[in-house]
Amino acid sequence: MITDGLNSGSKPPIPLWMLAELTYKCPLQCPYCSNPLAIAQSRGELSVDEWCDTLSQARALGAVQLGLSGGEPLLKGGVSQIIKHATDLGFYTNLITSGVGLTEKSIVALKSAGLEHIQLSVQAPEEVLNDQIAGRKCFREKLEAAALIKKHGFAMVMNVVLHRHNIGRLGELIELAVHLKADYLELANVQFDGWAYLNRKSLLPTRDQIDQALATTREYEKRMQGRLKIFYVLPDYYSDRPKACCNGWGSLSLVVSPSGFVMPCLGAHKLPIDDRPNIRDQSLGTIWRDSKLFNSFRGYDWMQEPCRSCPEKTKDFGGCRCQAFLLTGDASQTDPVCALSPKRSLVDTMLMEHEDVAVNQMVYRSLAESVRQCDR
Amino acid sequence: MELNVPLPHDAFIQMARPFRFQWEPAQDCFVILYPEGMVKLNQAAGLILNLCCKHNQSLAQTVESLAQDFGQEPQSIQDDVQEFLRIAHDNRWIELRQ
Ligand code: SF4
Ligand code: SF4
């Protein structure tokens, strides 16, 4: 009677899931940020009108889930106007925020714009560690934001990126989610890309930490009996199969960057594909259907061995293209996380490389640091 | 408000937060949306929720409309409707409307 929609590939593919990165401005400096290292080079943010037009085009293609992120989306002037337009179009909207800067006034505006739910990031279960990871004081503001979110009747997802410095505090994090009355808790093991790749030696959890974390999550899930839904995103490095690349490259989702670049995924910035389609130059439909970028890894024809003849390719699509590129230098290779990859030793070497670096010794995400990284 | 299935005939239901029910032309079906996800409904399930939640019909009215549309006995439709509502209830998609 029911099929789980986000797992059922449709033909021709529909970009059901859209992520709008409204701005790279952010009050926090998390050292695992998924934004590109080159945030300092980003120029010319899309205006509110341009966003509205982009959303109309996406909706016409069938997009229905809309994530609004950044940076910090609350720093985008006119964010409520953008959400209002998305609501009118029939999108189900999700604001992905640090909570910093959320006020009674702004949340009322978001509510009347029709925002459906809010994903609030938390770095750690207590102030000192939280603020160290975020690179500034913000824990209390986050608690206040959580209270506002619940007060105004939003569904709330509490999101925590897990890494060596906070994964041991998982029990406390779950208790915090209960205390804040989160409806969902998303525990996402850090994905080593961009800023996180820079800091990988410090962020990488140990295998013992991972095993312990999984056991803790299971135990709490039982105890909660569905009162709090926990999504636990496994770390792929310690696994022998890669994660499925966003349900297939160009098959389900698209990302639009603050200045209008359209990509199949967050990490596609740095792939060596000489096509950077921008919504200012082409329609979204043309980009989605015909661009070189979106067609580069669609389907299975681009694959090399061992993926090409592997029966599991319909499940994991050969793993993450960005990771394959980052580690092997060739984006069409098997994701080296896979035990069948001839390059798995690259990952194993990395697992042995982790170092005990203090939290505040990591490279924090900031414009100044971005300039330094780009100059290298 | 909590509900017990099977539901009485005169009950009215509505979607529970944070679930949203709508028609998606691009997918040619009704769907339920929620944080980070979507469920595609088959025709029967879509029609049931459409009558109950969009057209504000009671369960008895819903069963009657469907029986007429499909030229079937109300009793067999009745069982299908209760079966679907049990699934919907287990998933916390719906609640009673006062
Ligand atoms: S290529 Fe990698 S980063 Fe990009 S969507 Fe696929 S899995 Fe994610
Ligand atoms: S060889 Fe390729 S398709 Fe097969 S499991 Fe590994 S990554 Fe997946």
Side-chain angles (χ1 to χ4, degrees):
Chain A
M1 171 163 277
I2 289 138
T3 55
D4 202 348
L6 290 191
N7 289 323
S8 56
S10 33
K11 275 188 175 165
I14 300 174
L16 293 174
W17 224 104
M18 171 169 175
L19 183 70
E21 296 184 309
L22 298 182
T23 177
Y24 284 145
K25 292 191 205 107
C26 189
L28 306 193
Q29 311 183 34
C30 307
Y32 46 73
C33 179
S34 63
N35 289 158
L37 288 178
I39 44 177
Q41 291 172 351
S42 173
R43 297 278 179 280
E45 283 188 0
L46 296 183
S47 67
V48 169
D49 284 347
E50 285 174 308
W51 273 115
C52 290
D53 179 53
T54 306
L55 293 177
S56 300
Q57 293 186 48
R59 187 72 187 120
L61 294 175
V64 64
Q65 283 279 1
L66 176 65
L68 300 134
S69 77
E72 172 52 65
L74 292 172
L75 290 180
K76 178 72 180 174
V79 61
S80 294
Q81 241 174 295
I82 296 171
I83 292 171
K84 168 84 171 60
H85 185 72
T87 305
D88 292 346
L89 290 168
F91 271 110
Y92 193 88
T93 49
N94 173 18
L95 185 79
I96 301 166
T97 178
S98 67
V100 174
L102 192 68
T103 60
E104 185 92 42
K105 191 170 158 216
S106 57
I107 204 162
V108 167
L110 294 169
K111 187 84 195 178
S112 58
L115 180 65
E116 290 281 357
H117 77 121
I118 299 185
Q119 179 177 317
L120 177 70
S121 70
V122 172
Q123 279 67 14
E126 46 87 12
E127 184 165 17
V128 176
L129 184 59
N130 181 90
D131 295 354
Q132 251 179 10
I133 296 171
R136 69 161 258 179
K137 275 204 152 320
C138 61
F139 189 67
R140 288 174 190 212
E141 272 183 83
K142 283 172 185 283
L143 300 189
E144 284 161 21
L148 280 175
I149 293 168
K150 291 312 293 182
K151 177 179 166 195
H152 289 273
F154 286 101
M156 177 165 79
V157 180
M158 176 171 136
N159 171 282
V160 187
V161 173
L162 295 179
H163 47 80
R164 181 130 51 104
H165 303 287
N166 66 2
I167 195 168
R169 315 287 293 270
L170 199 59
E172 292 161 81
L173 281 162
I174 298 172
E175 303 278 357
L176 179 64
V178 173
H179 173 72
L180 296 177
K181 301 196 175 69
D183 302 281
Y184 301 83
L185 172 62
E186 186 176 84
L187 301 164
N189 273 280
V190 58
Q191 198 62 40
F192 292 106
D193 192 19
W195 296 87
Y197 189 71
L198 272 186
N199 290 305
R200 64 188 180 282
K201 289 186 184 170
S202 169
L203 291 170
L204 196 71
T206 63
R207 181 178 287 271
D208 282 352
Q209 284 183 309
I210 298 282
D211 293 344
Q212 183 59 47
L214 195 59
T216 307
T217 309
R218 295 277 171 274
E219 184 195 316
Y220 270 95
E221 266 173 341
K222 242 188 258 155
R223 231 194 284 167
M224 297 296 168
Q225 298 182 332
R227 268 181 301 138
L228 171 71
K229 279 217 170 115
I230 303 180
F231 300 117
Y232 185 79
V233 185
L234 282 164
D236 53 358
Y237 277 45
Y238 283 105
S239 155
D240 58 3
R241 286 293 182 273
K243 283 201 271 205
C245 162
C246 60
N247 222 76
W249 184 269
S251 76
L252 186 73
S253 52
L254 60 80
V255 181
V256 182
S257 84
S259 45
F261 291 103
V262 187
M263 298 167 295
C265 85
L266 279 175
H269 291 276
K270 59 190 175 305
L271 293 181
I273 298 169
D274 56 354
D275 182 32
R276 302 254 289 144
N278 192 298
I279 192 68
R280 284 178 168 139
D281 309 322
Q282 281 165 289
S283 76
L284 198 61
T286 305
I287 296 173
W288 173 255
R289 278 184 302 265
D290 305 330
S291 71
K292 187 169 166 192
L293 181 61
F294 274 84
N295 284 301
S296 287
F297 307 110
R298 254 193 190 133
Y300 305 100
D301 289 345
W302 56 271
M303 286 182 169
Q304 305 183 18
E305 292 296 351
C307 294
R308 184 171 268 275
S309 53
C310 178
E312 291 176 51
K313 67 183 175 189
T314 53
K315 258 198 337 216
D316 63 29
F317 310 94
C320 174
R321 292 309 88 221
C322 302
Q323 188 148 280
F325 176 67
L326 202 60
L327 297 180
T328 74
D330 177 355
S332 65
Q333 284 210 15
T334 298
D335 183 336
V337 157
C338 182
L340 302 174
S341 158
K343 303 269 173 78
R344 169 69 210 196
S345 61
L346 292 171
V347 173
D348 292 327
T349 309
M350 203 144 110
L351 292 181
M352 288 184 312
E353 273 180 348
H354 64 67
E355 281 169 12
D356 277 313
V357 183
V359 178
N360 57 12
Q361 293 304 306
M362 287 190 278
V363 181
Y364 284 91
R365 171 224 196 259
S366 67
L367 284 183
E369 192 53 52
S370 170
V371 171
R372 227 166 294 148
Q373 293 295 330
C374 295
D375 283 348
R376 291 204 163 167
Chain B
M1 130 153 220
E2 271 295 303
L3 78 192
N4 296 312
V5 268
L7 293 170
H9 296 290
D10 55 355
F12 287 88
I13 58 164
Q14 64 189 12
M15 294 304 288
R17 259 216 302 263
F19 298 97
R20 194 163 95 196
F21 168 74
Q22 70 188 35
W23 172 254
E24 279 301 297
Q27 298 174 66
D28 197 25
C29 66
F30 284 104
V31 302
I32 291 174
L33 298 163
Y34 56 93
E36 320 281 341
M38 178 186 78
V39 171
K40 287 174 133 176
L41 299 175
N42 71 6
Q43 196 196 19
L47 289 176
I48 295 168
L49 283 186
N50 192 39
L51 289 168
C52 293
C53 301
K54 295 261 178 208
H55 295 276
N56 301 330
Q57 299 209 357
S58 70
L59 292 188
Q61 291 166 323
T62 299
V63 169
E64 205 175 302
S65 309
L66 289 174
Q68 263 182 16
D69 289 353
F70 289 94
Q72 282 185 30
E73 285 302 308
Q75 188 51 48
S76 70
I77 297 270
Q78 165 87 8
D79 294 344
D80 285 348
V81 170
Q82 288 290 356
E83 168 62 10
F84 170 69
L85 292 177
R86 195 185 51 72
I87 296 172
H89 170 253
D90 289 349
N91 284 292
R92 302 168 193 242
W93 294 335
I94 54 170
E95 61 191 12
L96 273 187
R97 184 148 48 89
Q98 292 305 56

